[in-house]
Amino acid sequence: MADFHSPEDLQAAGRALAASLPDFAILVLVGELGAGKTTFAQGLAAGLGVASELEVASPTYTLIHEYHRPGVSFYHLDLYRVETTQQFATLGLEDLFVPPPPGSKKVIAIEWGERLESYLPKPYLRLEFFAPTPTSRHLQVIANR
């Protein structure tokens, strides 16, 4: 488990993880409101070179934000408002989980993804965020194969 003491620390962790991800990666970001999921996703986008931290916002009301540069795609989903598997099934996201063509990279980060983990293709990484105090965050990474 890693400890972080500022939003910048969480963003730096996202940037570091982005540099080590395979060409196709699904990340399930788990944690209560305010635990740091979106802040971490900001670092992921910056680390992938598709957006700056300031350009990445929570897709709570739009469900998905897409960021692209040649050869790299980052999809940031927020399933907070999706409450049932039937709602998820009507979103038409099946194509999103298809690996990219050779030579390309695709990263999908899903906030509140634990709600639909049973429908996600494996392997994926489950990142669990905890906010034990207002100024500290903990992160645990679990591989699901």
Side-chain angles (χ1 to χ4, degrees), residues 27-31 33 36-42 56-60 76-80 109-115:
L27 311 175
V28 175
L29 310 181
V30 178
L33 289 170
K37 299 179 298 294
T38 298
T39 302
F40 187 85
Q42 291 169 338
V56 177
S58 175
T60 300
H76 182 197
L77 286 75
D78 187 323
L79 301 181
Y80 182 73
I110 311 167
E111 295 188 34
W112 302 95
E114 72 274 14
R115 294 177 177 199

Side-chain angles (χ1 to χ4, degrees), residues 28 117 124-128 139-145:
V28 175
E117 259 180 303
Y124 63 86
L125 287 179
R126 179 182 170 107
L127 290 83
E128 297 178 356
L139 172 60
Q140 182 173 1
V141 180
I142 302 165
N144 283 308
R145 302 205 180 276

Side-chain angles (χ1 to χ4, degrees), residues 79-108:
L79 301 181
Y80 182 73
R81 295 168 22 105
V82 178
E83 297 177 3
T84 67
T85 55
Q86 291 87 353
Q87 287 176 326
F88 182 72
T90 65
L91 297 175
L93 297 176
E94 297 82 16
D95 291 343
L96 183 64
F97 298 106
V98 173
S104 296
K105 185 170 193 137
K106 180 194 275 187
V107 175
I108 304 165

